[in-house]
Amino acid sequence: MKLSILCCISLGILSIALKLKPALSAEKVYIIHGPLNLSLSIDSLQIFAETGKVNSELKFYAGFAGDKAMAQLRKVLQIRSNLPPKLISQLTYAPMSEEFLQRLGRIVQTESGLNGFHAIRAAWILSASRSQSYTLIDILRNYPTHGIRIDSANIGKLQKLLLTLVNYRNAAIAAIAQQERAEAVSQSKMDFSQLSNPLKLGAFRVTQRTLELKRFTPAIARGQILRRFQVKLYIPTGTSQPVPVVTISHGMGSTPIGFGYLGEHLASHGFAVAIPEHIGSGEAMKKALLAGLTNTNVDPTDFIERPKDIKQTLDELERLSQSDPALKGRLNVQNVGIIGHSFGGYTALAAAGARLNTARIHRDCGSDKLRTNLSIYLQCLSQRLPATDGRLGDARIKAVISINPLTSIVFGPEGLGEIEIPTMLISASNDILTSPVPEQIHPFLWLKTRAKYLALMVKAGHTAADRGNGGEQNLSLTSTDILFGGPDAELVREYIRSLSLAFMQTYVGNRTEYRKYLSASYVNSMSQEPIGLDLVRSLTSIQLQQAYGSAPPDAFFPIPVTVSPTNK
């Protein structure tokens, strides 16, 4: 499993282990509780995982933990991973993962009390090297010190992380499903079999074209650099009127090719689609990471330059629509929709009017607490930005879809609440990079625009929306594909095509007949296994709290920030 999942697994063991009676053993987890130094043998955990037997070492403490907690512990111990050592090495040497491991290492220490950063990474890689299928027991045994030291003061923090990632997430998923059912009941009955299939290509033939753009931009510690990038265009032919424009922003480590399937689909239905390459956080970064370059990281200025890529692309399209013989009079660049994925999801929201919230960034990123939401480590790179008013929007953009975006700190309620145009957030329940609750579900509550939608793809992962450079669907899924994308990435992309077409036709193409495709009842009719799809227009904090049974682990609306002079 990926880093954050492995972390949660280990935290579950340790929170149980705190209640267990000390026993002498050569392989131990040491629980430091004030002046007491308690211990638990890894052998006893392995026996319990393999047979369900509670030996004499566990018996006394199993009574304190309770049957339910022990059953959950056994399930956790039985989970297997088959991520290969090379991939683990690449992941754990990435700067954002390193920061996460450093913070985790303050809690999961070596026997002598040193930061466990290097030991955790070594144990994980060694476990993968020794077996194609391994469990947390193997990682514990391969920890390169005699024992693993845990300070009991951190147990409460670890339990809260588990609640956030598992229990509360599941409650939020249930609340969204319940709200979708309520919205579907309130909608008029319709025979969806009579509707045209939004997944079919439209009537227009599509031509492609590549633009070459450049500009000088600032870079941290490097002064002015030339930012040279391409824009892939998908143009419908045979239209009698200027067509609306949709621009798509790819995620970190990707390229325009990853969303060519969506550009082709929208263009066949009468949109001109422009997909710029974000070079500062594009494919070159992924190649460097896969090559093992440990200094690979996003330049913080990309939080500014990505939305500027969108603006420059629209400026160029506006110029071409007036002067280029092939495009003259064919583009309506005053009527634009934007779609973005991951870091591109941030880009799309920023270009749509969400305000980069430097006051919140500097306040919330000052904490050194462990976070299993890995996107926080990317968001906090923006601390190094030069002074900015945070306004990156473009008035030509009339609607926005943001898929798996990062939002919680870079925007917060203050920044996201400034969006005034129709907005759809698309979330994946099994996203381990931009966690669905803090990055999309709670932020949906922060949106103030009247036309807002939240789509949740249940059992989908972070990367499924991006088709990548391979083009064709890979029918032989690896554990890595399933971990990051989910069990059926092609189904996810069908959902993306359908939702994007319906939303852009409704709010950019002014085709009101497509609004029916944005109803809970229609989405429910198209949802299928192994990845479900829910769509809601409304969700409240009361519904989320009722589903969870108590106040959430993290507030629905974080404490407001005071706007700084550079954030006005």
Side-chain angles (χ1 to χ4, degrees):
M1 305 292 285
K2 177 88 168 47
L3 186 60
S4 58
I5 293 180
L6 284 171
C7 168
C8 293
I9 294 172
S10 64
L11 302 188
I13 292 176
L14 296 172
S15 61
I16 298 288
L18 180 60
K19 305 172 184 177
L20 304 180
K21 187 175 182 178
L24 296 176
S25 174
E27 296 175 302
K28 300 179 181 179
V29 174
Y30 295 97
I31 309 298
I32 310 305
H33 185 69
L36 300 178
N37 189 338
L38 313 179
S39 66
L40 168 70
S41 73
I42 297 173
D43 284 341
S44 64
L45 289 172
Q46 183 165 2
I47 292 170
F48 176 60
E50 293 177 350
T51 68
K53 180 181 178 181
V54 177
N55 64 13
S56 58
E57 183 180 358
L58 291 176
K59 187 174 182 180
F60 177 80
Y61 295 95
F64 286 98
D67 292 342
K68 183 177 180 180
M70 293 300 289
Q72 291 175 340
L73 172 62
R74 189 179 180 211
K75 288 181 179 179
V76 166
L77 293 172
Q78 290 174 333
I79 293 175
R80 289 191 169 273
S81 174
N82 57 357
L83 289 183
K86 182 178 179 181
L87 178 59
I88 296 169
S89 179
Q90 291 162 351
L91 290 172
T92 57
Y93 276 90
M96 286 180 290
S97 297
E98 282 197 354
E99 183 173 350
F100 172 82
L101 284 175
Q102 285 281 3
R103 296 189 184 191
L104 178 61
R106 297 172 193 165
I107 299 173
V108 184
Q109 301 174 351
T110 67
E111 186 177 9
S112 60
L114 298 176
N115 188 301
F117 162 65
H118 295 290
I120 295 168
R121 181 163 63 187
W124 191 7
I125 294 173
L126 185 58
S127 299
S129 300
R130 290 179 171 176
S131 175
Q132 292 184 343
S133 179
Y134 50 94
T135 67
L136 183 61
I137 294 291
D138 297 311
I139 295 175
L140 292 174
R141 289 202 182 280
N142 288 319
Y143 200 86
T145 65
H146 179 70
I148 304 170
R149 176 187 171 107
I150 305 293
D151 188 333
S152 65
N154 290 300
I155 295 298
K157 298 177 184 178
L158 307 184
Q159 290 173 330
K160 181 178 179 181
L161 288 173
L162 283 175
L163 289 173
T164 302
L165 287 177
V166 181
N167 297 344
Y168 183 65
R169 183 204 63 178
N170 292 342
I173 292 170
I176 292 168
Q178 182 178 23
Q179 173 62 19
E180 184 194 52
R181 290 192 293 270
E183 291 185 14
V185 168
S186 68
Q187 293 163 358
S188 57
K189 300 297 182 182
M190 185 179 303
D191 183 4
F192 294 120
S193 65
Q194 302 302 312
L195 297 178
S196 60
N197 187 347
L199 293 175
K200 290 184 177 179
L201 289 174
F204 295 102
R205 188 170 63 87
V206 178
T207 60
Q208 297 185 30
R209 180 172 172 180
T210 300
L211 305 180
E212 302 280 349
L213 301 184
K214 61 182 179 180
R215 70 178 185 275
F216 282 98
T217 67
I220 301 296
R222 286 187 290 165
Q224 292 282 321
I225 62 171
L226 181 63
R227 189 177 182 94
R228 190 190 302 269
F229 63 99
Q230 293 185 339
V231 179
K232 298 293 185 183
L233 291 183
Y234 298 82
I235 309 294
T237 62
T239 58
S240 58
Q241 299 292 329
V243 298
V245 174
V246 173
T247 184
I248 301 175
S249 177
H250 66 74
M252 187 169 68
S254 186
T255 72
I257 295 174
F259 287 90
Y261 76 93
L262 184 55
E264 181 88 22
H265 189 68
L266 292 174
S268 76
H269 285 273
F271 293 93
V273 181
I275 313 180
E277 177 188 17
H278 299 297
I279 60 169
S281 51
E283 186 179 28
M285 168 172 287
K286 181 172 70 175
K287 287 181 177 178
L289 175 60
L290 295 178
L293 301 181
T294 59
N295 62 346
T296 304
N297 215 332
V298 176
D299 189 311
T301 57
D302 232 41
F303 284 90
I304 304 294
E305 298 306 323
R306 275 175 154 264
K308 287 184 178 180
D309 290 342
I310 301 297
K311 182 181 186 305
Q312 185 178 1
T313 297
L314 296 181
D315 290 345
E316 180 66 8
L317 292 181
E318 194 165 347
R319 185 186 70 81
L320 293 174
S321 69
Q322 298 171 1
S323 61
D324 186 279
L327 295 176
K328 189 172 184 179
R330 296 182 59 189
L331 307 178
N332 181 359
V333 190
Q334 300 306 313
N335 191 22
V336 178
I338 187 168
I339 301 169
H341 172 246
S342 191
F343 201 7
Y346 155 82
T347 306
L349 292 170
R355 190 169 167 191
L356 188 64
N357 194 339
T358 57
R360 178 167 293 282
I361 290 165
H362 287 288
R363 192 193 73 179
D364 291 359
C365 290
S367 169
D368 64 352
K369 68 179 182 180
L370 176 69
R371 305 175 192 263
T372 55
N373 174 8
L374 296 183
S375 76
I376 293 296
Y377 302 106
L378 173 59
Q379 294 182 64
C380 287
L381 291 177
S382 59
Q383 289 183 97
R384 298 168 54 203
L385 282 171
T388 173
D389 68 0
R391 298 188 186 279
L392 302 165
D394 192 308
R396 293 170 291 193
I397 295 174
K398 302 300 190 292
V400 55
I401 295 176
S402 185
I403 308 165
N404 309 118
L406 42 103
T407 64
S408 59
I409 289 180
V410 286
F411 296 131
E414 304 86 356
L416 205 61
E418 293 199 13
I419 294 179
E420 298 178 347
I421 61 176
T423 302
M424 176 181 286
L425 299 182
I426 300 180
S427 185
S429 69
N430 292 5
D431 187 345
I432 58 177
L433 299 178
T434 54
S435 300
V437 169
E439 300 304 326
Q440 297 103 43
I441 296 175
H442 281 184
F444 179 72
L445 306 180
W446 307 342
L447 289 170
K448 297 178 181 178
T449 178
R450 292 184 61 186
K452 67 176 186 176
Y453 300 78
L454 174 64
L456 177 64
M457 301 181 292
V458 181
K459 297 182 182 178
H462 183 82
T463 62
D466 186 339
R467 197 167 191 174
N469 297 326
E472 297 301 321
Q473 180 186 10
N474 180 5
L475 299 179
S476 179
L477 291 177
T478 67
S479 61
T480 306
D481 296 324
I482 295 173
L483 174 62
F484 290 104
D488 193 339
E490 188 59 35
L491 179 58
V492 166
R493 291 189 282 269
E494 288 184 6
Y495 292 155
I496 296 297
R497 289 202 302 272
S498 180
L499 291 171
S500 297
L501 178 64
F503 189 81
M504 291 302 165
Q505 288 283 33
T506 300
Y507 292 107
V508 179
N510 295 317
R511 300 278 300 276
T512 57
E513 68 269 26
Y514 277 84
R515 195 180 299 272
K516 61 178 71 75
Y517 295 106
L518 295 175
S519 64
S521 52
Y522 178 78
V523 168
N524 182 262
S525 73
M526 68 180 290
S527 176
Q528 59 184 287
E529 292 296 333
I531 294 177
L533 179 65
D534 296 320
L535 180 71
V536 297
R537 295 289 310 272
S538 173
L539 187 69
T540 68
S541 56
I542 293 175
Q543 290 172 300
L544 290 169
Q545 184 161 323
Q546 287 177 340
Y548 186 50
S550 63
D554 292 308
F556 298 113
F557 293 85
I559 298 172
V561 295
T562 301
V563 177
S564 66
T566 58
N567 200 210
K568 290 182 178 179

